[in-house]
Amino acid sequence: MKALVAVKRVVDANVKVRVKADNSGVDLTNVKMSINPFCEIAVEEAVRLKEKGTVSEIVVVSIGPKEAQEQIRSAMALGADRGILVETADDIGALEVAKTLKAIVEAEKPELILLGKQAIDDDSNQVGQMLGALLGAGQGTFASEVKVDGGKVQVTREIDGGLQTVELQLPAIITTDLRLNEPRYAALPNIMKARKKPLETKSLADYGVTAGTNLKTVKVEPPAERKAGVQVKSVDELVEKLKNEAKVI
């Protein structure tokens, strides 16, 4: 069984982002970039399925600038077998990403397609669902548990009311949630081996996709700074401040 995992290059989750002076976006100058945390969970799940003998090959795909090779190599160090970089310097929307992944799925013919449920830079949470619609394939979103059995996969989903288990025919699309697993750290020998694993570079045109997006960023600004808290000496003083200063009662 072949698994295809999509990963996105984003600002590292531990970095405090800075807004550009002209409020046009986030300043990426000298900022550490990493695999999107939810995508890393997807890679880990594919590797665990491979260790169980369920998956025989893991293909990692990323769409973005040339530097996204770093994130593909990181996924290879975690256990992926080969990578595909669809190189583009242009901004592309979720639909264009889904169309590109659809073309890759049709070429690679994987039984499992794993994606993070959302990226921490735009939080769109759209690509997995769009890909499912384009392929006409079953999808299990917000997965907290995955069990593959023959030609079917059971996905336990995290929903507002608790947990929901769905059974899908393969090929199927799964988007991963936080509680699915905890990604491992890459060992140094595996990092060295990842440098020699095959990585193919493609373009959007190779898959018949035109760069672009229907979304336009109007303005980006940091959240308002919170005022320092104060200590009160009595309940009466607290009530007075809540009523006259905070105006919440």
Side-chain angles (χ1 to χ4, degrees):
M1 178 184 295
K2 182 190 292 186
L4 187 141
V5 186
V7 301
K8 186 176 183 181
R9 175 183 171 89
V10 299
V11 175
D12 189 90
N14 297 310
V15 172
K16 184 177 181 180
V17 297
R18 303 187 306 272
V19 176
K20 292 181 179 179
D22 61 359
N23 295 106
S24 62
V26 174
D27 187 0
L28 300 181
T29 306
N30 298 322
V31 172
K32 181 182 178 183
M33 307 294 283
S34 300
I35 298 176
N36 175 54
F38 291 104
C39 298
E40 195 171 19
I41 292 170
V43 174
E44 174 66 24
E45 191 64 20
V47 172
R48 293 189 183 191
L49 290 171
K50 185 179 178 183
E51 290 172 343
K52 293 177 182 178
T54 304
V55 168
S56 57
E57 183 185 24
I58 301 171
V59 182
V60 176
V61 177
S62 189
I63 305 168
K66 183 178 181 180
E67 292 77 13
Q69 291 185 30
E70 300 170 11
Q71 283 63 53
I72 295 177
R73 294 292 181 193
S74 296
M76 289 176 176
L78 295 174
D81 299 293
R82 60 186 175 92
I84 300 172
L85 171 62
V86 184
E87 188 176 337
T88 177
D90 298 316
D91 289 333
I92 56 174
L95 181 57
E96 287 70 33
V97 172
K99 288 179 177 178
T100 306
L101 292 177
K102 173 181 180 288
I104 295 173
V105 168
E106 290 174 343
E108 293 288 336
K109 294 180 170 54
E111 285 79 17
L112 271 180
I113 303 102
L114 296 161
L115 306 89
K117 72 168 184 177
Q118 65 194 76
I120 62 172
D121 54 359
D122 57 18
D123 279 333
S124 71
N125 180 21
Q126 293 177 329
V127 174
Q129 291 88 331
M130 287 180 172
L131 180 58
L134 291 172
L135 288 172
Q139 56 180 293
T141 55
F142 317 125
S144 62
E145 186 177 3
V146 175
K147 294 180 181 178
V148 181
D149 184 14
K152 297 180 180 180
V153 57
Q154 281 193 351
V155 180
T156 300
R157 306 177 59 237
E158 296 191 357
I159 59 175
D160 291 341
L163 298 175
Q164 177 191 58
T165 300
V166 295
E167 187 173 79
L168 310 170
Q169 293 283 349
L170 298 178
I173 298 160
I174 298 171
T175 69
T176 57
D177 215 328
L178 281 174
R179 280 155 290 279
L180 179 58
N181 60 55
E182 184 175 345
R184 69 193 69 190
Y185 289 99
L188 181 58
N190 292 335
I191 294 174
M192 301 303 291
K193 290 177 184 177
R195 296 180 180 179
K196 298 181 180 180
K197 291 182 179 181
L199 196 165
E200 187 177 7
T201 301
K202 294 281 192 176
S203 68
L204 290 173
D206 292 332
Y207 297 108
V209 178
T210 302
T213 176
N214 290 324
L215 297 177
K216 180 181 178 181
T217 300
V218 177
K219 186 179 182 182
V220 176
E221 57 186 6
E225 293 187 9
R226 297 179 62 181
K227 295 181 180 179
V230 296
Q231 289 184 333
V232 295
K233 297 179 179 179
S234 66
V235 174
D236 290 339
E237 185 181 355
L238 172 62
V239 172
E240 189 273 331
K241 286 185 177 295
L242 290 175
K243 183 177 181 179
N244 298 319
E245 293 184 19
K247 298 187 184 302
V248 294
I249 59 175

